[in-house]
Amino acid sequence: MADKKRGIHELYREDAEQADYLIWGRKSDPLTRRGFLKGGGLAAMSAAIGASIPLAHLMPGGLIPAALAQTSEPFEIPGKEGLIVLNDRPVNAETPAHLLDDAVTPARYLFVRNNGTPPAMQSIDLENWTLTIGGESAGREVSLTIDELKSRFEHHTYQLQLECGGNGRSEFVPPAGGNQWTIGAVGCPEWTGVRLRDVLEYAGIDDDAVYVAYYGADTHLSGDPTKVPISRGVPLAKALEDESLIAWSMNGEDIPLMNGYPLRLVIGGWPGSVCGKWLTQIVVRNQVHDGPKMTGTSYRVPCSPVAPGSEVPDEDMCIIESMPVKSLITFPRSGIEHPIGERLALRGHAWAGDLEVSAMHVSTDFGATWQEATLGRPANRLAWQHWQAEVDFPEAGYYEIWARAIDSDGRAQPMVLPGWNPKGYLNNACHRIAVQAV
Ligand SMILES: Nc1nc2c(c(=O)[nH]1)N[C@H]1C(S)=C(S)[C@@H](COP(=O)(O)O)O[C@H]1N2
Ligand SMILES: [Mo]
């Protein structure tokens, strides 16, 4: 066995083919990436997993078996039990897939992605919290308290999914720096607030307005009060959509501090980074917003595909807009044993950025064949959809269940890592779980 101290993820990240060889003695066919897990390699992988792998000849090379892919330490933020900590400065934590099983994500299971230091709870004075609308293309500058927001504008409730642009980053080869999210930087709670559009129209939107951006009350990790940890935005048309909210409530309760209490933006279907937390200021811009994390490699990907590891010139990088089609298997949890001969019921969610999911498929043979799942309608636009399916297993041993969604433009999730980019965004490869048929 290879050097355990480095961990399986790190080994695969450095060089997936080499990791296969080091750990299992497996060499894959460079053309088909299949079929070379035999003899000693197969025995080693079976021993690590604790079962034989009936369909080993179909298992692609360079892939960590799902049974071994989800190991980390528990997270300890009160109110977020069960989440996996990725970093504590700033706090970043993701949710294991099986804890995302609810149709509407409970507050305690919503991931946390902080770029700076959140405001302390004691420093938040609800009565005097003000939101300022300004910027060079706002009709006038307006300040509103939370009570004024609540009393002057119509309230709306939508279920909106939030996914970090870097969700899935841990699988990129060559690796990308940043939080090594696996699959759990996503959730879909129900949000209540006022429409960003109504508030922008109240302040006035000049004819030359093109972008709307936020500032929040969190502070830069350096402690320098003149530095802003993150300030991002969206084109005016996205800001004006019905579902773009200034929210004070999540699932009918106050938003948890770590998720932006007392006020945050929720703009569904785009990278979570456009949803400003601890919201204090909105600016209407006459140019593409240029705040911290809008430029360089932040939340930007090559405008056209590049070879893995390429240096991409700044002018060839484009801002991420809608997130790609993706899905999760939330039941059963990875690693269960299941009696052979009994059908196994599966379920999960699927989403597709600004689009809808039009079909959902599952595979038990490493993607060789797929069967259609039953797919539900979203609660509203930009909410995830629920799916279910039943599968069975021909003989005892190790299986993986793979899930694949297709969006309303006919685009499917890839089975392996999609387009490499310098910061490891937009990995929408199929989610996989392990099942032992016994
Ligand atoms: N003010 C502020 N807003 C922010 C952030 C932040 O660090 N500060 N992080 C952004 C990022 S990158 C994401 S993915 C989402 C995460 O929201 P959550 O922590 O509620 O899950 O908030 C966004 N809004
Ligand atoms: Mo993010």
Side-chain angles (χ1 to χ4, degrees):
M1 280 292 259
D3 180 1
K4 274 223 177 99
K5 272 177 271 162
R6 279 201 291 165
I8 196 165
H9 285 278
E10 203 181 328
L11 279 168
Y12 270 84
R13 223 179 294 132
E14 276 166 20
D15 182 343
E17 311 266 292
Q18 178 68 5
D20 259 4
Y21 184 70
L22 272 174
I23 303 177
W24 322 114
R26 159 162 83 165
K27 282 197 173 157
S28 44
D29 181 326
L31 276 182
T32 61
R33 310 246 302 163
R34 293 190 194 269
F36 277 64
L37 190 59
K38 292 185 189 128
L42 182 53
M45 194 182 282
S46 299
I49 289 166
S52 70
I53 310 171
L55 303 174
H57 61 291
L58 294 170
M59 191 175 186
L63 212 55
I64 307 175
L68 308 177
Q70 282 151 10
T71 46
S72 276
E73 294 300 307
F75 184 58
E76 280 156 21
I77 282 233
K80 294 280 182 187
E81 288 81 10
L83 270 63
I84 308 292
V85 70
L86 299 177
N87 193 356
D88 58 1
R89 194 171 180 282
V91 170
N92 284 277
E94 70 171 324
T95 316
H98 68 277
L99 296 184
L100 288 170
D101 194 40
D102 298 89
V104 176
T105 309
R108 66 184 183 284
Y109 294 148
L110 184 63
F111 76 101
V112 176
R113 196 301 184 231
N114 293 344
N115 289 266
T117 310
M121 198 62 179
Q122 314 84 272
S123 75
I124 298 175
D125 172 3
L126 268 194
E127 275 165 35
N128 294 307
W129 185 278
T130 52
L131 173 64
T132 308
I133 321 296
E136 65 272 6
S137 295
R140 59 191 169 122
E141 187 164 303
V142 175
S143 273
L144 296 158
T145 64
I146 296 177
D147 274 347
E148 286 169 334
L149 273 176
K150 288 182 177 172
S151 60
R152 289 205 190 150
F153 305 95
E154 211 178 289
H155 298 190
H156 296 273
T157 298
Y158 294 105
Q159 195 189 346
L160 299 169
Q161 98 258 350
L162 194 66
E163 181 179 15
C164 183
N167 196 21
R169 174 177 295 135
S170 63
E171 290 182 29
F172 276 91
V173 181
N179 289 295
Q180 295 300 307
W181 304 111
T182 67
I183 37 88
V186 64
C188 194
E190 195 179 74
W191 306 91
T192 299
V194 297
R195 284 193 173 128
L196 176 57
R197 180 177 71 218
D198 291 347
V199 176
L200 290 174
E201 283 173 353
Y202 175 76
I205 306 167
D206 289 349
D207 288 344
D208 64 351
V210 294
Y211 235 78
V212 175
Y214 70 81
Y215 290 89
D218 47 340
T219 49
H220 197 268
L221 282 181
S222 64
D224 181 345
T226 65
K227 282 194 180 158
V228 171
I230 184 171
S231 168
R232 303 199 67 245
V234 294
L236 183 63
K238 181 67 183 170
L240 297 182
E241 284 183 356
D242 285 356
E243 301 83 5
S244 295
L245 295 182
I246 300 172
W248 55 77
S249 156
M250 184 168 122
N251 302 335
E253 295 186 352
D254 286 346
I255 298 170
L257 178 66
M258 284 294 144
N259 301 111
Y261 176 85
L263 209 58
R264 81 172 297 170
L265 280 178
V266 189
I267 296 178
W270 286 37
S273 53
V274 301
C275 304
K277 305 197 278 188
W278 314 290
L279 183 67
T280 54
Q281 199 186 347
I282 288 171
V283 288
V284 186
R285 304 291 320 264
N286 65 5
Q287 61 167 80
V288 174
H289 185 58
D290 51 0
K293 309 249 159 144
M294 282 302 295
T295 55
T297 51
S298 291
Y299 302 102
R300 303 206 310 163
V301 292
C303 306
S304 335
V306 300
S310 303
E311 286 268 346
V312 188
D314 210 51
E315 63 273 20
D316 294 345
M317 296 287 281
C318 285
I319 298 172
I320 299 169
E321 300 202 327
S322 174
M323 293 289 286
V325 61
K326 202 159 169 179
S327 58
L328 274 180
I329 305 161
T330 59
F331 184 89
R333 66 184 291 170
S334 191
I336 61 148
E337 289 190 351
H338 184 74
I340 176 175
E342 259 175 48
R343 290 178 72 71
L344 173 62
L346 314 172
R347 60 177 183 261
H349 318 291
W351 59 97
D354 280 338
L355 301 176
E356 260 190 41
V357 178
S358 59
M360 185 72 214
H361 296 93
V362 293
S363 174
T364 54
D365 53 13
F366 304 110
T369 63
W370 294 87
Q371 97 183 39
E372 183 147 19
T374 309
L375 177 70
R377 303 272 313 141
N380 49 254
R381 193 176 162 255
L382 311 180
W384 64 18
Q385 292 162 245
H386 314 302
W387 61 267
Q388 51 203 52
E390 275 188 13
V391 292
D392 45 33
F393 306 99
E395 57 183 294
Y398 175 81
Y399 292 82
E400 293 192 3
I401 297 166
W402 293 12
R404 184 183 70 184
I406 301 178
D407 72 22
S408 46
D409 278 353
R411 265 186 223 102
Q413 286 182 257
M415 281 137 71
V416 292
L417 199 75
W420 183 90
N421 61 88
K423 276 289 195 73
Y425 296 119
L426 307 182
N427 176 6
N428 66 335
C430 291
H431 182 211
R432 310 181 284 139
I433 65 162
V435 173
Q436 310 264 9
V438 290

